[in-house]
Amino acid sequence: MLYRFGSIFSSILLMSVVSIQPSAFTQSASIAQFRDITGDIYANEIEQAITLGIVAGFEDQTFRPQTPVTREQLVSMVVRAMEQVPLANRFQTINPTLPPVPTQITTNPFSDVDKTRWSAPQIQYLKDLGIVRGYPDGTFHPTQTVTRAELIVMLQAVDRYLVEFRGNWDGRRPYTQPIPLNFSDIQNHWARDTITEMSGNCHTGQVATPLNETGTQFAPNTAAQRNYAAAAIVREVRCLSVPAISP
């Protein structure tokens, strides 16, 4: 299995909550409109992801929203997204920070990821945090396409890591969360429970949603496209940015 589940730290920090600037989650007029996201159902969230520095477009003024995301690309997006999540709580003076992301590494993180590869430091970073794991044969398959199920499983791993890192303080607790969606095509899927959980994990917006935001199918084995990946990550960042009110 590629992604990490379960407990991460045995010792937990208690911290104070700050919030992301509200402007980060509003459509920015300063962002050049990519000519290929007009009319895309995820256009607003794509622009939010660009504002946050999670993802970028291409030099030809395209975003290529329907291009599949690879594993190393998802790692890069997630690392940048984690930097946007507040880590402190209002009752403590501690101002915690995540471990720094290395700019270069001296060993290969996996047998098929050379230390000089552009994504190697970020892959090593999430490996060290326990968020990603390779395959039993020691490979990572960095250029392999990520499925929608794998995207959601990774975001759940990030969610658990960050909540636990900031001392199990979770600002979602005082709010009524949405009822999880009853997807019609995941009953026998290995990621069924995670997908279901992530469809009802936050009142600010469901992370796991139907394919193209319509119908009852999640399409877990379908390639995760850039538009949905950007949207799901933005939703997760927004969800984790709710100030923790009580332990």
Side-chain angles (χ1 to χ4, degrees):
M1 190 67 63
L2 177 63
Y3 304 119
R4 175 199 182 283
F5 294 90
S7 176
I8 299 166
F9 291 139
S10 58
S11 61
I12 305 296
L13 301 174
L14 289 177
M15 308 160 192
S16 252
V17 164
V18 296
S19 59
I20 285 181
Q21 294 179 353
S23 59
F25 291 116
T26 59
Q27 185 169 347
S28 174
S30 64
I31 298 176
Q33 180 70 48
F34 293 103
R35 54 189 172 85
D36 59 346
I37 67 170
T38 300
D40 192 285
I41 54 177
Y42 300 112
N44 285 347
E45 288 164 312
I46 289 169
E47 292 201 352
Q48 291 165 17
I50 294 169
T51 299
L52 292 171
I54 294 170
V55 68
F58 296 89
E59 292 182 355
D60 61 356
Q61 292 300 304
T62 62
F63 182 77
R64 305 175 195 176
Q66 296 181 349
T67 299
V69 176
T70 66
R71 295 190 178 196
E72 64 182 347
Q73 290 170 345
L74 179 59
V75 164
S76 178
M77 294 167 71
V78 164
V79 168
R80 285 177 279 181
M82 290 175 67
E83 296 172 348
Q84 301 298 327
V85 177
L87 300 177
N89 72 63
R90 69 177 70 177
F91 299 104
Q92 302 292 329
T93 58
I94 301 172
N95 186 23
T97 58
L98 290 170
V101 181
T103 57
Q104 58 183 1
I105 54 178
T106 58
T107 59
N108 299 340
F110 294 98
S111 62
D112 59 344
V113 180
D114 189 84
K115 63 185 178 182
T116 61
R117 189 176 183 86
W118 71 268
S119 60
Q122 294 170 317
I123 292 172
Q124 182 68 60
Y125 181 71
L126 291 192
K127 180 183 179 183
D128 290 343
L129 296 185
I131 292 175
V132 299
R133 292 175 177 171
Y135 290 95
D137 63 357
T139 61
F140 184 75
H141 302 178
T143 61
Q144 182 172 303
T145 297
V146 173
T147 66
R148 286 168 53 88
E150 290 173 328
L151 166 65
I152 295 303
V153 169
M154 187 173 188
L155 292 181
Q156 185 205 49
V158 171
D159 184 293
R160 291 184 176 183
Y161 173 86
L162 291 174
V163 168
E164 207 165 330
F165 181 83
R166 63 188 186 189
N168 281 331
W169 284 70
D170 191 344
R172 293 168 288 192
R173 290 177 180 172
Y175 300 93
T176 300
Q177 308 307 326
I179 297 173
L181 300 176
N182 184 22
F183 294 111
S184 61
D185 60 344
I186 64 170
Q187 279 69 24
N188 298 316
H189 196 274
W190 62 269
R192 177 194 62 189
D193 292 345
T194 301
I195 294 168
T196 300
E197 176 188 328
M198 295 294 281
S199 74
N201 69 320
C202 195
H203 67 286
T204 62
Q206 293 160 310
V207 177
T209 50
L211 181 66
N212 297 322
E213 304 299 308
T214 185
T216 62
Q217 293 190 342
F218 181 75
N221 297 325
T222 298
Q225 297 178 336
R226 278 170 55 85
N227 55 1
Y228 178 62
I233 292 171
V234 163
R235 293 170 187 175
E236 182 60 30
V237 171
R238 184 191 298 121
C239 185
L240 287 168
S241 299
V242 177
I245 295 175
S246 60

